[in-house]
Amino acid sequence: MSDYHPQDLDRKWQARWAESQAFEVTEDPARPKFYCLEMFAYPSGHAHVGHVRNYIIGDVVARLKRLQGFNVLHPFGWDAFGLPAENAAIKSGIHPETSTLDNIAHMKGQLQRLGISYAWGRELATCLPDYYRWNQWLFTRMFERGLAYRRRSTVNWCPVDHTVLANEQVVDGACWRCGTPVEQQDLEQWFFRITAYADDLLSGADRLTEWPDKVLTMQRNWIGRSEGARVTFALADLPGGIDVFTTRIDTIFGATFVLLGPEHGLVQTFADLADDPQAFREQVSRFRGQDRAGRVSGAVEKEGFFTGQFAVNPFTGERVPIWVANFVLGEYGTGAVMAVPFGDQRDFEFARKYNLPIRVVIRPADGEAPDVDRMTEAHADDGFLVDSGAYTGLSSAEARRRLSNQAEGRGIGEATVQFRLKDWGISRQRYWGTPIPMIHCPQCGVVPVPDDQLPVVLPKVAQFTGRGDSPLASIPEFVNVACPRCGGAARRETDTMDTFVDSSWYFYRFADAHNDRLPFDPKKAAYWCPVDFYSGGVEHAILHLIYSRFFARVFRDLGMVDHSEPFTHLLTQGMVLKDGAVMSKSKGNVVDPDTMVQKVGADALRLYVMFVAPPEKEVEWTDSGLDGSFRWLARVWRLAEQWRTGAAGGGTEASDATRPVDQAALSPDERAIRRKTHDTIRRVTQDIDVRKQLNTAVSAMMELVNDLYLFTDKGTRTPQASLVAREAVESLVLMLSPCAPHTADELGERYGPQGGLAAATWPVYDPEVARAEEVVIPVQVNGKLRGRITAPPDASDAELETLALAEPGVRGHVDGKTVKKVVVAKGRLVSIVAG
RNA sequence: GCCGGGGUGGCGAAACUGGCAGACGCACGGGACUUAAAAUCCCGAGACCCGCAAGGGUCGUGUGGGUUCGAUCCCCACCCCCGGCACCA
């Protein structure tokens, strides 16, 4: 019997796994596949415990599935482009490629020291040309299909990072990365037409039954579908009109004014016609500046001013004033709204403030129309139309249908669907990203780089100054190029792609990581994909996870994959806190996994992270909890070693393991241990495989170990006792192996089953053995627990009732009373009502 | 404001379909072993009350109500915490 030295086991087994390439896989149509994936990592330099929690969770699932006989793909890679490396280069002068590759090497070592079972043969890094050339290839395919396009637009600009941000990357009006308030700039940008898939992405969410509701809700809100109508209000005194989007066309008879956002195209025209164009423009630019500040602070006073122009309400024929209002958003809908102060709180407040007319147009289903003068807020509910011409008396829903049809018939509008989701701006004025494979030719316009000239390799740049435009623009050898179409002098695009492009399809690349003809072979993707189990941080609920769903649809429409949803089961793991805060280098509260591994071994760290709480939950790091996990593993070790060496008695030979256990010959204690063993197999399998509750799986194993210690203490020395203990310990070792693989592999090798765990399969639960011989059933009298009875598990209701009424503790509360009712919950409880 | 998730011992948590609340662990206390300590093994432990004791009783899952033989679980109202969205017409 030897002591538990986890560090030695870590070294031994990690070397052996690497040597045997234990986790490399190829397609095998004869076996069911399982694709287990954790979100790949940004190579920041050092992984802390918060990061590795995710990899541990995924590894437990991967290892379980492998033992269950699945052909498991469990790869890892690096989200290696991005701003921090470039910003660091500006400060330190170290090239991003150097620092990134160094960081990758270090973090890979950290993961290997945790014994995560990755197929390292498929490792990828997005900053390498053999990966990002496929970004370029895909960009070209999207360009050909009109899914990638260029337009001038007002974009979110981060003045610190010197780059454009997607709407999703603007948080509270500030850059998601550095927190600087975002500015607006007009630039020519590349966009991906994700809005073409808005409905598909929304309806697909209904079928993601194994995703957390939280994530689906966030995605649905983000897509923000709303049904309504577009209606044109003609200008009263000028040619043309104003298109508005409304979800409440049923209230159009109450539209007493029109509001333009400060970004609206007509605002300039109206300014030119105004009495004081200068003052007009100053107001507008003040509003445009306010918009940003308002988002940061959350509330800006609603204000506006009259443009001097009027429009015509297409249904009432009235002249209605046109105002500019600071709360109307330029980028949503048409950038203009019809104002119905009766039904919209914002319009109501605006009308009261500027004395604009309010007209009552809806009465509630069960009451009278309100009195305008006594209204203190807008009435937003549906009801029945009043004072609405030919539509008076209709329900809101019916009126919406008829009014939309009428508008369409008259050519002044139509029913439409509006999305909050906008096209994805992907141009970045940075160096450390995928070059956009386009060439600007004065003769031919925008021309894609032909496939046979891909990749457009990112040139080495000597200097990072952090100023000006795209760093690539300052490299003449990169910029100046012959047009692929006419051969004339042309310029390369010098922007790079948003790094979220890289992460939107890397999971397909893992299916065929070394393909040099295509991003991946569709046949290989058809075998491995979609990902069966995907885990990562909830912070990617909208960005990464919606873009990936978009790309899956693009690949689907290119005929390269046969599904729409890339991730079948999603688990969003909670963060690990230290001293109540998220771990971060700047706060100085990071827990370094290497330090912990040196102290207690990889398995104790893995086990602690699993046991401390359910995976989705945030947890607070405690050193004492880690020590507890180490102590428990040592306890398991001693238990197994005792039975192996015969110290506990029995002294079974390995060959005894194959001898079947004769259930009838066992003592009650022995039968109890067998029952516990099989019940534990059931619980652990259910908890890891189905419920993904790793903490209760560990609890179940701890219970088994506690029982085995008591059993061992009783000192039974019969051959049957050894067989039963052997079965229990072997099962335990197998169940432990996803969580604590080094310890389990070592025990497996020492103890059996034959050939160690590499040849083993996940233990199977035998319901017959696990079945209790007798059950203890609580008895309630008038809802209070008054006694317990012992009965066979299949006892009839009548038998249970008789036993219950005979139980002394129960009699004390029933005697002298009338038993009015007895409820028997079979095998669970007897409830007596007496009075 | 809207949407989602929560609130259970000193602490992390469990309770799977409405059926013994607090499994498992941390911290703590007691015992065994030891010259001693550590380690290990065993035992104890929701709160309050009665009892010398064995034991018994009452209360208890954020608050108040409801449904039910029975509620941490279902329903209604409310309080608090966390996360997301937030002038989206």
Side-chain angles (χ1 to χ4, degrees), chain A residues 771-829:
Chain A
R771 206 169 68 98
E773 288 159 43
E774 52 185 25
V775 287
V776 176
I777 294 174
V779 183
Q780 291 182 349
V781 179
N782 294 336
K784 288 193 164 64
L785 179 69
R786 297 298 183 191
R788 292 185 176 80
I789 54 174
T790 306
D794 52 358
S796 71
D797 289 3
E799 286 167 317
L800 290 176
E801 182 173 337
T802 310
L803 280 169
L805 289 168
E807 211 280 326
V810 173
R811 292 238 313 260
H813 289 89
V814 172
D815 284 353
K817 294 179 182 168
T818 319
V819 173
K820 292 179 175 163
K821 187 174 177 181
V822 178
V823 181
V824 179
K826 200 160 182 60
R828 285 182 189 273
L829 176 133

Side-chain angles (χ1 to χ4, degrees), chain A residues 659-666 674 720 723:
Chain A
R659 220 168 66 198
V661 179
D662 179 4
Q663 185 79 356
L666 300 181
R674 280 205 88 200
Q720 289 99 318
L723 278 179

Side-chain angles (χ1 to χ4, degrees), chain A residues 158 202 286 602 629 759:
Chain A
C158 175
L202 187 67
R286 193 168 62 83
S629 294

Side-chain angles (χ1 to χ4, degrees), chain A residues 62 434 516 550 587 747:
Chain A
T434 304
D516 58 5
F550 165 47
K587 289 197 194 83
L747 290 175

Side-chain angles (χ1 to χ4, degrees), chain A residues 745-780:
Chain A
D745 259 344
E746 178 69 20
L747 290 175
E749 185 180 63
R750 284 166 179 242
Y751 197 85
Q754 300 279 311
L757 295 194
T761 56
W762 189 249
V764 177
Y765 148 72
D766 181 343
E768 269 310 300
V769 175
R771 206 169 68 98
E773 288 159 43
E774 52 185 25
V775 287
V776 176
I777 294 174
V779 183
Q780 291 182 349

Side-chain angles (χ1 to χ4, degrees), chain A residues 530-787:
Chain A
V531 173
D532 296 280
F533 177 83
Y534 194 40
S535 77
V538 71
E539 66 272 20
H540 293 111
I542 36 185
L543 301 174
H544 163 59
L545 288 169
I546 218 164
Y547 294 152
S548 296
R549 296 181 60 221
F550 165 47
F551 269 43
R553 285 160 169 77
V554 173
F555 280 118
R556 177 195 67 194
D557 293 348
L558 288 171
M560 293 183 66
V561 303
D562 53 8
H563 56 263
S564 301
E565 295 299 343
F567 312 121
T568 304
H569 184 103
L570 177 70
L571 185 146
T572 51
Q573 116 272 5
M575 289 184 290
V576 181
L577 310 181
K578 180 81 198 300
D579 309 323
V582 179
M583 289 182 192
S584 75
K585 227 183 280 178
S586 57
K587 289 197 194 83
N589 63 344
V590 292
V591 177
D592 171 32
D594 287 315
T595 311
M596 302 300 136
V597 165
Q598 277 163 29
K599 209 169 88 176
V600 294
D603 288 344
L605 176 60
R606 294 169 60 111
L607 196 81
Y608 167 68
V609 160
M610 288 175 62
F611 179 61
V612 66
E616 321 77 52
K617 220 174 146 155
E618 221 168 57
V619 296
E620 173 74 26
W621 175 267
T622 61
D623 286 333
S624 56
L626 181 69
D627 294 342
S629 294
F630 170 79
R631 282 200 299 267
W632 184 72
L633 284 173
R635 185 168 154 91
V636 171
W637 177 271
R638 285 190 298 271
L639 179 77
E641 283 290 88
Q642 276 183 65
W643 283 98
R644 178 178 71 88
T645 59
T652 52
E653 295 301 316
S655 58
D656 287 348
T658 53
R659 220 168 66 198
V661 179
D662 179 4
Q663 185 79 356
L666 300 181
S667 71
D669 279 348
E670 290 158 359
R671 277 203 298 276
I673 280 292
R674 280 205 88 200
R675 191 182 314 125
K676 187 71 179 178
T677 301
H678 281 264
D679 195 48
T680 304
I681 293 168
R682 180 188 62 80
R683 285 170 64 188
V684 171
T685 309
Q686 170 84 5
D687 284 352
I688 301 180
D689 199 15
V690 182
R691 300 207 306 150
K692 310 289 189 256
Q693 295 289 300
L694 309 186
N695 54 328
T696 49
V698 177
S699 299
M701 289 187 273
M702 287 174 167
E703 283 184 39
L704 175 61
V705 169
N706 289 348
D707 282 8
L708 280 168
Y709 262 89
L710 295 182
F711 179 75
T712 306
D713 259 13
K714 284 184 178 157
T716 318
R717 295 290 182 266
T718 62
Q720 289 99 318
S722 294
L723 278 179
V724 165
R726 181 167 198 103
E727 182 190 24
V729 174
E730 280 177 10
S731 303
L732 175 67
V733 166
L734 279 163
M735 287 188 280
L736 195 62
S737 72
C739 316
H742 311 84
T743 307
D745 259 344
E746 178 69 20
L747 290 175
E749 185 180 63
R750 284 166 179 242
Y751 197 85
Q754 300 279 311
L757 295 194
T761 56
W762 189 249
V764 177
Y765 148 72
D766 181 343
E768 269 310 300
V769 175
R771 206 169 68 98
E773 288 159 43
E774 52 185 25
V775 287
V776 176
I777 294 174
V779 183
Q780 291 182 349
V781 179
N782 294 336
K784 288 193 164 64
L785 179 69
R786 297 298 183 191

